[in-house]
Amino acid sequence: EVVLHYRPHQRDLTELQKFAEAAVKEFPVRQLPGFTPWFPNDLYRLPLKPKKQPPVISSEEAEELKQLSTPSECNVDSSNYDCTKNLLEFQSNVNRGQTLIRAQNVHRQINSEIHGEPPSDGKPKLKRSWSVSLCSPKLKEKILPLSQELQSNLERLKLHAFYRAKWTIEQSTCNNQNLEDIWVKLNRLIKKNELPSCNATIQRSVGQIWIFCDILYCEYVRNILREKLSLTDKMNLLVHKFGIIFSL
């Protein structure tokens, strides 16, 4: 049953019938087209494919790897971690004035150690383990070209002259000197920028001093070390992933 309301001046029955038929006519339903992605969606035809299949490890090998792997030495429970444990300003038995004085003393002591100044009480508190040098422009005139042997090794290994290499000083090359004394002398050389592009570290756990430099300056650095530190025997030049590439 359809009830049609119309205005008095709209009494044309033909038009009213058309309005009524249009009102009860079902809305047209348009069939949506299928979705077509605007990018390639063929997973079987990738532009890049690995040349080989991924390696497969058996359960027995996995167990062996678990036994060989050592657990981490540092196990810290995050729930029990307190970041204010060693901070003086959070200790209840120290007032603000004492905290400020002690913090200034610690800061002054660290600065004196970094700049090579002895501590006021005469007891060494910190030991520097790294030293970094800049390349002085005055040294460029003294640096000679690389030897023919080293150049041929670089060409054979396809190494650039600005690769980083490492000289190692051991107790056997110290000529009856203490390793710590060698380290102090080396820091003086680096502080005066006599060793271009060098940074050095002392590995006290293994009794060695590592001196890193660009291959371009390695022979010059070795000659300075032999002259200034009175080192004996040959030293090996190592490059990461290539091992010993030169001896001098």
Side-chain angles (χ1 to χ4, degrees), residues 41-197:
N41 195 25
D42 190 358
L43 299 179
Y44 299 98
R45 298 179 59 186
L46 296 177
L48 295 177
K49 288 186 178 180
K51 188 175 182 180
K52 298 180 180 180
Q53 294 294 329
V56 180
I57 182 172
S58 62
S59 57
E60 293 80 6
E61 292 174 334
E63 290 297 330
E64 293 180 1
L65 292 177
K66 288 182 180 179
Q67 295 176 2
L68 291 176
S69 62
T70 57
S72 177
E73 297 180 357
C74 182
N75 289 327
V76 180
D77 189 359
S78 59
S79 60
N80 298 329
Y81 175 71
D82 185 7
C83 62
T84 64
K85 182 178 180 181
N86 297 321
L87 297 179
L88 299 178
E89 59 268 27
F90 289 96
Q91 296 182 8
S92 58
N93 57 347
V94 179
N95 58 30
R96 179 178 176 83
Q98 293 177 347
T99 301
L100 181 60
I101 294 175
R102 293 178 65 181
Q104 290 176 347
N105 292 336
V106 171
H107 182 70
R108 189 181 300 110
Q109 178 183 351
I110 293 176
N111 284 338
S112 64
E113 290 292 340
I114 292 177
H115 293 87
E117 302 174 1
S120 57
D121 55 358
K123 298 180 181 180
K125 299 296 183 181
L126 299 174
K127 291 185 179 181
R128 294 181 61 186
S129 59
W130 274 98
S131 190
V132 181
S133 174
L134 300 176
C135 185
S136 175
K138 299 179 181 180
L139 295 177
K140 294 182 179 180
E141 301 176 356
K142 301 180 181 180
I143 298 174
L144 300 176
L146 297 178
S147 63
Q148 188 63 36
E149 179 184 356
L150 183 54
Q151 288 184 14
S152 60
N153 290 342
L154 296 182
E155 293 176 359
R156 177 174 54 87
L157 299 173
K158 298 181 179 179
L159 290 176
H160 196 274
F162 285 103
Y163 260 81
R164 297 294 284 178
K166 178 179 75 172
W167 293 109
T168 302
I169 299 178
E170 299 181 357
Q171 189 63 48
S172 59
T173 61
C174 291
N175 195 14
N176 297 325
Q177 301 179 79
N178 190 356
L179 195 67
E180 291 290 341
D181 296 337
I182 295 291
W183 176 243
V184 173
K185 296 178 182 179
L186 178 62
N187 276 273
R188 292 172 184 169
L189 293 177
I190 294 180
K191 187 177 181 180
K192 295 178 182 178
N193 288 336
E194 295 189 29
L195 300 177
S197 75

